[in-house]
Amino acid sequence: FKAGYKYIIGNHFFVMGALGYSSFKYFYSDEDGNLVSNKDGGFTWAPGIGVQFNALELGLRYESFSIKGGSISNLGFRLGFNF
């Protein structure tokens, strides 16, 4: 669950951000080769920048999930269409 805001700068550029909580499940193999699953969750934050041309939107976003013992992060490109 995240809530965010998009601020448009000039005619084409924007910055956006989101804060919230993420819950996820992951799988791994233990030392005996058995498939094991675990659930975790934590604080999430995601700043982003982008450009829009009429209905098309291109963006770059960094997203990070804080979990016990560290964090999980990713960097993503986004292509959107505004209705």
Side-chain angles (χ1 to χ4, degrees):
F1 300 99
K2 290 186 284 191
Y5 184 75
K6 178 178 174 182
Y7 180 74
I8 298 176
I9 302 168
N11 292 331
H12 299 290
F13 299 98
F14 64 86
V15 293
M16 58 192 312
L19 298 173
Y21 180 85
S22 293
S23 177
F24 51 93
K25 186 175 188 176
Y26 55 94
F27 299 88
Y28 60 94
S29 296
D30 65 9
E31 57 274 350
D32 296 327
N34 299 317
L35 185 63
V36 180
S37 67
N38 198 0
K39 290 183 180 180
D40 207 344
F43 175 72
T44 302
W45 60 282
I49 58 172
V51 61
Q52 62 185 28
F53 300 101
N54 297 324
L56 289 177
E57 195 172 280
L58 297 171
L60 178 66
R61 181 168 82 175
Y62 174 80
E63 190 160 357
S64 182
F65 312 97
S66 298
I67 58 173
K68 297 173 195 162
S71 66
I72 298 172
S73 302
N74 66 17
L75 182 65
F77 294 100
R78 188 168 91 79
L79 174 63
F81 183 81
N82 296 319
F83 293 96

